Amino acid sequence: MIKQVDVLIIGAGAAGMMCAIEAGKRGRSVLIIDHAATPGDKIRISGGGRCNFTNINAAPQNYISKNPHFCISALRRYTQRDFLALVNKYGIAWHEKTLGQLFCDGSAKQIIDMLVTEMRQAGVELRLRTTIDSIVREDNRYLVDLAGDKVRCTSLVVACGGKSIPKMGATGFGYDIARQFGMKITDTRPALVPLTFDENTLAPLKPLSGISVDAVVSHGKTKFAEAMLFTHRGLSGPSILQISSYWREGDTISVAMLPGVKVFDALRVARVRNGRQALQTALSELLPKRLAQLIAENSGIDRHLADLTDKQLRAVEKAVNEWQVKPAGSEGYRTAEVTLGGVDTDGLDQKTMEAKSAKGLYFIGEVVDVTGWLGGYNFQWAWSSGWVSGQVV
Ligand code: FDA
């Protein structure tokens, strides 16, 4: 017996569950499947367990895509305020951490419970530990083989995310489905990911592991002012994760470790006031001690301030606020929060997320070539793209 449903959704993550809720509320029969044992696993681990579920400032400019206009329609139709209204309806307490980032006060599980409750109320059937053997298109319908159990649907929604964190079951399955239907995939790469150094760059920096500074990190004209963390493999922290989405192998990034501080002027004042002070000591009044020590040592002029020329102080300023560093790579999909790139938006209708070449086939969430900044933007894309597709599937 072949089961018939209106809508089959592959992936019970953020985007898939939102689509299921909306389609179910419209009276469509909806089956949502996932190969995991529980729905919304990434929501559960997100935001350090508190889920940064949206960003109050989310706007199209916070997203990277081959077509930066593609996300506009969905983000406008289902906004961060709409999702917040749902969160408030469930009485989930939240707070703004920084830069418009909204987190649960309690646990990310509250967001999953909310979505699962909404799905249940909308009559959605959730099937876990379920994999797909094949998808066949028959006229205007799809026949999907769920490891022996066959399901026929009018709308097939691909919401199975990207390749980040394979340990949690991330696969490139959504891209395979797109290819099966002749759609293009843009280059994919790990994003929102720590950057790593080669041994030569890393060796002198190893003692700094664990030190964090409020930095401005730039790549070309793109810059992010957030914390940066030295790690035992390279650099991490929000500003680095952000810039990792723009950085490419061979590129240099520029780091200001004391943004807004005129280091040259500060050192000149220190030289007048206390010429016998060592450069390292003067710097450690501005920066963490170990970092100050390293910068002074690397400058090759770790002497008393009185012995240093203006030119030398300028060079120190440059080392602090224009540190040019060339990462060798990134930590890869193992730790990347998202996948940059994905199903080419040229092949999708921006209002509905339907494939232009295959009626009834939809792609939503991270599988699509729309990647948000760090800070709740990626979930907002999942909610918005899931919601718009849920209105039409
Ligand atoms: P998502 O990955 O959530 O869901 C896809 C679902 O498909 C999964 O349940 C998976 O099991 C299933 N699936 C995959 N392949 C399958 C197959 N072959 N068969 C069946 N099922 C399959 N974003 C944000 O905005 N705020 C935050 O705080 C964070 N924090 C964060 C922390 C960490 C550690 C990570 C890794 C990521 C984040 N993110 C984030 C990013 C965010 O988690 C991500 O953008 C969304 O979960 C994407 O939602 P989707 O529904 O598209 O995919």
Side-chain angles (χ1 to χ4, degrees):
M1 256 272 286
I2 298 180
K3 184 181 169 78
Q4 315 272 346
V5 292
D6 294 325
V7 186
L8 173 61
I9 301 172
I10 306 172
M17 288 197 276
M18 180 55 89
C19 174
I21 292 163
E22 290 303 312
K25 285 202 288 202
R26 287 175 40 242
R28 307 288 280 163
S29 57
V30 182
L31 171 64
I32 181 167
I33 69 114
D34 203 296
H35 62 181
T38 44
D41 280 350
K42 279 211 181 140
I43 301 176
R44 186 170 41 77
I45 60 159
S46 67
R50 291 226 162 99
C51 187
N52 178 192
F53 55 80
T54 193
N55 191 297
I56 206 64
N57 304 317
Q61 57 267 28
N62 307 118
Y63 294 84
I64 306 166
S65 171
K66 197 183 97 181
N67 174 4
H69 303 293
F70 180 82
C71 61
I72 296 175
S73 174
L75 290 173
R76 269 204 196 132
R77 286 176 62 213
Y78 189 80
T79 69
Q80 52 274 35
R81 287 168 296 282
D82 293 321
F83 190 76
L84 193 53
L86 181 62
V87 168
N88 286 337
K89 185 177 128 192
Y90 276 75
I92 299 172
W94 54 270
H95 61 280
E96 179 182 337
K97 196 170 171 190
T98 172
L99 302 169
Q101 301 166 7
L102 305 191
F103 285 74
C104 298
D105 287 358
S107 147
K109 209 172 155 294
Q110 294 173 286
I111 300 289
I112 304 174
D113 291 346
M114 171 184 87
L115 296 168
V116 170
T117 305
E118 285 278 303
M119 285 202 296
R120 197 178 312 119
Q121 285 172 0
V124 172
E125 183 188 346
L126 168 66
R127 242 192 244 181
L128 297 164
R129 295 191 180 90
T130 302
T131 52
I132 292 179
D133 280 354
S134 67
I135 299 169
V136 176
R137 189 158 180 216
E138 314 171 309
D139 301 324
N140 278 338
R141 291 196 295 183
Y142 295 87
L143 181 65
V144 182
D145 189 342
L146 303 176
D149 255 355
K150 290 204 162 72
V151 178
R152 189 172 277 126
C153 59
T154 327
S155 296
L156 179 63
V157 184
V158 182
C160 47
K163 290 193 270 192
S164 51
I165 326 266
K167 210 172 68 186
M168 291 187 70
T171 60
F173 188 57
Y175 312 133
D176 297 340
I177 301 174
R179 281 192 204 97
Q180 179 186 341
F181 291 94
M183 299 171 69
K184 288 202 187 111
I185 312 295
T186 65
D187 287 342
T188 51
R189 54 183 284 122
L192 301 183
V193 63
L195 297 174
T196 55
F197 292 144
D198 60 26
E199 263 315 308
N200 284 341
T201 313
L202 190 61
L205 298 174
K206 268 192 176 154
L208 302 182
S209 178
I211 288 179
S212 171
V213 287
D214 283 330
V216 171
V217 180
S218 325
H219 175 268
K221 287 192 177 136
T222 308
K223 50 178 77 175
F224 291 96
E226 285 180 74
M228 179 184 84
L229 174 73
F230 289 89
T231 71
H232 64 288
R233 299 185 66 194
L235 295 173
S236 186
S239 58
I240 293 295
L241 300 191
Q242 299 278 31
I243 217 72
S244 74
S245 300
Y246 295 86
W247 174 83
R248 295 293 178 274
E249 283 72 11
D251 292 354
T252 298
I253 56 171
S254 176
V255 180
M257 290 180 275
L258 280 173
V261 176
K262 292 189 168 126
V263 178
F264 172 73
D265 292 348
L267 291 176
R268 248 180 20 155
V269 169
R271 186 174 61 185
V272 172
R273 285 203 186 133
N274 189 359
R276 292 202 53 74
Q277 193 176 40
L279 172 62
Q280 187 189 129
T281 317
L283 280 176
S284 63
E285 282 169 19
L286 302 167
L287 288 163
K289 208 168 159 198
R290 270 183 286 155
L291 181 55
Q293 185 183 353
L294 187 84
I295 292 170
E297 281 167 13
N298 280 0
S299 71
I301 49 167
D302 190 12
R303 297 198 293 275
H304 292 153
L305 291 175
D307 300 334
L308 301 181
T309 63
D310 278 2
K311 197 174 161 201
Q312 287 170 318
L313 295 187
R314 288 255 181 239
V316 174
E317 177 175 62
K318 229 173 152 198
V320 173
N321 270 346
E322 286 171 59
W323 180 38
Q324 305 294 312
V325 64
K326 195 186 269 192
S330 81
E331 291 191 2
Y333 287 117
R334 188 179 60 82
T335 61
E337 281 202 12
V338 286
T339 303
L340 188 72
V343 175
D344 193 327
T345 55
D346 281 354
L348 298 174
D349 180 326
Q350 62 188 7
K351 292 209 169 79
T352 60
M353 305 292 135
E354 187 175 22
K356 290 177 182 165
S357 60
K359 196 174 161 20
L361 180 65
Y362 297 79
F363 291 84
I364 55 173
E366 195 182 321
V367 73
V368 178
D369 172 31
V370 173
T371 308
W373 289 358
L374 184 80
Y377 301 99
N378 283 297
F379 277 135
Q380 187 56 44
W381 170 246
W383 314 133
S384 297
S385 58
W387 188 91
V388 294
S389 63
Q391 309 309 309
V392 291
V393 288

